[in-house]
Amino acid sequence: MTTTGGRTLLAVPNVSEGRDRGAIDAIARAFDAGLLDVHTDPDHHRSVFTLAGSPGRLAASVVAGAAEALERIDLNRHDGIHPRVGAVDVAPIVYLTELDRGAACAEALVLGDRLGHELGVPVFLYGALRDGRTRAELRRGGPRRLAERIAGGELRPDFGPARLHPTAGATLVAARPPLVAFNVELEPPATLEDAKRIATRIRESGSEGLPGVRAIGLWLDHEGVAQVSTNVEDHHRAPLAAVVAAIARHAEPRRAELVGLAPSAAFDGFPPELPVVNLRLLENEVAVKKTSAEK
């Protein structure tokens, strides 16, 4: 991993493949040497890749991995429980300091342009790059509904063709600070309906809403348990300990899972008795990659 003036950006492409190990490994190799982490889930049928790179170079790594994903994924045959509209569903560029926000925005726009024009995938911007538009707004109704909205003139891609790719759908691109993808499994006999009810209450718009928290309730067939799956957009306003406490008011947490990497501050005050699967901290992984690159 090379950096420009010591500056590092991250990319976190979410790919709609969580079961075919050969495909996941091939996509990981295509993302190149900046790969920090791969998180795979067969129920979600999704893999989250975390890459580090310098401004001006990171977009190329994402495009290389996306090209491999397009060769291996047909969204028409996808049956995972996680909402999605694309084979490469989202591909945000992440800035670690406010000083790098501008560089991240520029890199995200380059990425969107290249995905659209080189791979023929329509790209929709979200977040600060598109007036605060959310992923949920674009994913609502899935690929079929998104195609209808494009055809009807309600939506127009920011980059690429004005139609979905026949097997890869669309890709959502943003520039943002670190987001924590954090899931909590519920102890039986909690049901899918329990998980959905809890998610409705604790998400930002809910009756017990936590600021900047997105939440959905899911059922994991492989584990035979219900799960509250969250995205925590600001871990300073809603630390993970607060997310666990909010869930625990309604059902007993069985264990937690970190998807990708998280800043260490997100775990301030976290209950030590609750096990966390895939607990890997962002600062540690970036430091290790920088050290290995300097050798």
Side-chain angles (χ1 to χ4, degrees), residues 9 93 95 100-111 128-129 174-176:
L9 298 175
I93 302 296
Y95 52 92
D100 288 332
R101 181 175 182 175
C105 291
E107 199 75 11
L109 295 174
V110 170
L111 174 60
L129 292 179
R176 59 164 176 78

Side-chain angles (χ1 to χ4, degrees), residues 182-284:
F182 179 71
N183 303 328
V184 178
E185 295 175 7
L186 307 179
E187 284 284 6
T191 65
L192 172 60
E193 292 308 312
D194 292 328
K196 287 182 175 180
R197 185 176 63 254
I198 293 168
T200 299
R201 287 177 174 174
I202 71 167
R203 67 173 65 118
E204 185 172 40
S205 60
S207 59
E208 303 171 18
L210 298 170
V213 171
R214 313 287 176 241
I216 57 176
L218 302 170
W219 181 263
L220 305 183
D221 281 334
H222 283 74
E223 297 288 339
V225 296
Q227 180 190 76
V228 178
S229 178
T230 75
N231 282 336
V232 179
E233 296 185 346
D234 186 343
H235 61 271
H236 298 291
R237 296 172 66 206
L240 300 184
V243 176
V244 171
I247 292 170
R249 284 196 290 271
H250 305 284
E252 184 179 353
R254 174 175 179 254
R255 66 177 181 180
E257 175 189 38
L258 184 62
V259 179
L261 307 175
S264 58
F267 283 93
D268 286 353
F270 193 83
E273 67 276 8
L274 184 65
V276 181
V277 178
N278 191 48
L279 177 51
R280 300 181 67 192
L281 300 179
L282 178 58
E283 298 91 339
N284 295 350

Side-chain angles (χ1 to χ4, degrees), residues 38 41 56 69-70 97 100 145 161 190 201 211 214 217-218 265:
V38 182
D41 189 293
L70 264 62
T97 71
D100 288 332
R145 179 59 185 146
R201 287 177 174 174
R214 313 287 176 241
L218 302 170

